Amino acid sequence: TFSQLCGFDYGTKSVQICKAPWFIKDKPRFEFRGLLLDTSRHYYPIDIIKQIIESMSYVKLNVLHWHIIDEQSFPLEVPAYPKLWKGAYTKWERYTVEDASEIFSSCFMFCGDVTVKLCENERLHSIYATDILGHSLTYSVYLDQLIIICGINVMAEIDVPGHAESWGTGYPDLWPSSSCREPLDVSKNFTFEVLSGILQDMRDIFPFELFHLGGDEVNTDCWKYTPHVKQWLQEMNMTTKDAYQYFVIKAQEIAISKNWTPVNWEETFNTFAEKLNPKTVVHNWLGPGVCPKAVAQGFKCIYSNQGVWYLDHLDVTWDGFYDAEPLEGITDYVEQKLVIGGEVCMWSETADPSNVQQTIWPRAAAAAERLWTSKEAAPTSNTSETALTRLQYFRCLLTRRGVQASPVTNRYARNPPYGPGSCYDQ
Amino acid sequence: TFSQLCGFDYGTKSVQICKAPWFIKDKPRFEFRGLLLDTSRHYYPIDIIKQIIESMSYVKLNVLHWHIIDEQSFPLEVPAYPKLWKGAYTKWERYTVEDASEIFSSCFMFCGDVTVKLCENERLHSIYATDILGHSLTYSVYLDQLIIICGINVMAEIDVPGHAESWGTGYPDLWPSSSCREPLDVSKNFTFEVLSGILQDMRDIFPFELFHLGGDEVNTDCWKYTPHVKQWLQEMNMTTKDAYQYFVIKAQEIAISKNWTPVNWEETFNTFAEKLNPKTVVHNWLGPGVCPKAVAQGFKCIYSNQGVWYLDHLDVTWDGFYDAEPLEGITDYVEQKLVIGGEVCMWSETADPSNVQQTIWPRAAAAAERLWTSKEAAPTSNTSETALTRLQYFRCLLTRRGVQASPVTNRYARNPPYGPGSCYDQ
């Protein structure tokens, strides 16, 4: 917020703050403002991830949803089960425990050097800090807001049981059979032992209260054709749908036992809402409508409607991101409070280190404003006069900070500029 | 060279150098190994330019050819003529003198902390250094080679008289008329006073011996239709072609008087070779053939054949860059030595901070190997077994260092990956 007031004056060659002193009154509309990064379809070196984390801080996104593993690769070191990262593409496309800790740590690098001094009012504090541009600043905030604005949490994801084929490269017993490689083998205790080992090792790295257990796009067909799984289903008197539910609920129990609040993709809610742990945070992705249903049943919800907030949908322009409304269809105030926020999702089937930042920026900034700013202050009417001008300016600020953000108004995301021109005239 | 031997071992979690100790015998084939960056068609903030400079050091490119100004914008501060940068797109898209100095300084940041110790043999030295990855190293080199490998020179360019419309935004007298805005007004002393002022101010910033004076694509038609220029031509008894030559030669004289060696695009050589100062370095761009002619007449030459070494030609694949041969058509050894090197050119009509690094890398690395490595060690046969494997590995190394390099074998440069996969399997 503060750095938005600073501008370089080319006449005096100094950084100036116009109309100072300022009284800044600013707080986020939603507590959870996330960006998903998928490191399984393509691997991102930690230098790239740190660049992304730094750029998130510029728009006050505060959760990196790290979709670490998927069916294509298992890049993370898990000390309890050291063969798991044999599922990485190569031995170089891996995150050591130290790398993961470094990613976590870098999420707090961009707070500046913040010193908090208690003032007469017990909740009002003076903050002495250095902002991201290195300018000294002093301002007063309520401490609970400081905690909200400072630092980025990492919400790790282990997407089970569907998106997990790569687990079996190191431990083939996790596959129901060589021809049925996912979902993970629901019939073996070993599957849940491995899951528990992963969650235990990750607990040591990621202190955030939320952990994402996936649960989406589970096609259980091949469980039926795998003799020992079929036999187990019969013994348990379960359909494959029952077994999918059994897997998800058991994974939730393990996560909760390790003091995590579980997050699941919306299919789990759509399929067996009544069985989900009441603490479950339902993560919308398929389309509009699930958050209203989830909060009506008392669940918390994260909004990521793919039609507007999936960054890999290159045809969604900045205003599509900006116009999205996480509270759409929810009128009751108590239910609205259960929507903890939203998240833009950078799936990596066709993104890699060469183009990921151009795909994220500047569209993620439009969603970030929706998540931060009150609805009244960020209307969806007349946006080409209000939000667009701001976003174009911000895109140029991103490039000034070394972030490879795309032109704002290109028809498809990450397209090059059409011809010579100013950054401010896109 | 040294850092190529270092590898991270995921078993021991340490950086290892296999088969040490090594005796490294390595020197460049050409002394001039350049990359042109055009900051007029789009502006690059200095953070982006510094990223590019750092990445140049990874492939031992050693000249940043900074094409600062062109007809679209004049982003540079010139203290002698302070209105010139009114030709910038906006007041934010400008380089102060301090910015230009910072760009120059950053060209030497990537040498590491190099200490030279004289040994018994007066030309053999021990070098104690920290390489770009921060590893300590000690090795012996000949001092003249150290100078060659350490640091990047900046060759600035003021492209006159054709590509200079933006000069007149601040000083309209530089335009022949409001409807004839380039070439610059050849008839006024003021034009050469401004040119001299620019060159004097730039002399304080850039110590490199070469300065690029442009001279390409000069269409003198509108000089003929501008009354006072037409009258001047008659008084001087000059054709417009004579006046073009007059301008270029006068610009050369000013540059030489400030202790610079002038570089000119090949049109100057093609049009009036016999009038060029013998010190002139002829810069090829149109196609093959000019370097053989230039060196036969005793001129030095830089090779940038647009068919193979223009990075904005997105349809030239990595092997087009790799197979290029700066000495093509030159058999005489003395003439070969006059080809001081080559340069890949990143023109910015459709490149900006969002896509420039993807357009440069990895193809520039293929040209860099051609410029560094002896012809015998970098044959153009069987390259998919030799060079391609190395380049794919190097592209992943670039991404590991935070550089946004594109997949190597995409059909058009800077295209995204086709689907999920390893960086090493492009």
Side-chain angles (χ1 to χ4, degrees), chain A residues 8 10-11 13 40-43 45-48 51 72 77 85 89-99 348-358 393 395-396 398-407 414-424, chain B residues 8 10-11 13 40-43 45-48 51 72 77 85 89-99 348-358 393 395-396 398-407 414-424:
Chain A
F8 185 77
Y10 279 79
K13 294 192 183 177
S40 178
R41 276 61 177 258
H42 280 97
Y43 172 84
I46 58 171
D47 273 7
I48 301 282
Q51 290 172 9
Q72 285 84 357
E77 177 182 32
W85 71 354
Y89 284 127
T90 62
K91 65 180 177 180
W92 303 289
E93 287 165 299
R94 289 176 175 177
Y95 304 105
T96 63
V97 168
E98 292 78 11
D99 289 340
S348 296
E349 280 84 351
T350 56
D352 72 1
S354 73
N355 61 4
V356 67
Q357 297 189 63
Q358 294 78 353
Y393 181 88
R395 183 254 168 167
C396 301
L398 282 174
T399 68
R400 193 168 278 278
R401 291 175 177 174
V403 179
Q404 337 257 299
S406 293
R414 77 187 179 201
N415 266 16
Y418 299 114
S422 165
C423 185
Y424 296 88
Chain B
F8 185 77
Y10 280 79
K13 294 190 183 178
S40 178
R41 276 61 177 259
H42 281 96
Y43 173 84
I46 58 170
D47 273 8
I48 300 282
Q51 289 171 10
Q72 284 84 357
E77 177 182 32
W85 73 353
Y89 284 127
T90 62
K91 65 179 176 180
W92 304 288
E93 287 164 299
R94 289 177 174 176
Y95 305 104
T96 63
V97 169
E98 293 78 11
D99 289 341
S348 296
E349 280 84 351
T350 55
D352 72 0
S354 73
N355 62 4
V356 67
Q357 296 189 63
Q358 295 77 354
Y393 180 88
R395 183 253 167 167
C396 300
L398 282 173
T399 68
R400 193 168 278 278
R401 290 175 178 174
V403 179
Q404 337 256 299
S406 295
R414 75 189 180 199
N415 266 16
Y418 299 114
S422 166
C423 184
Y424 296 88

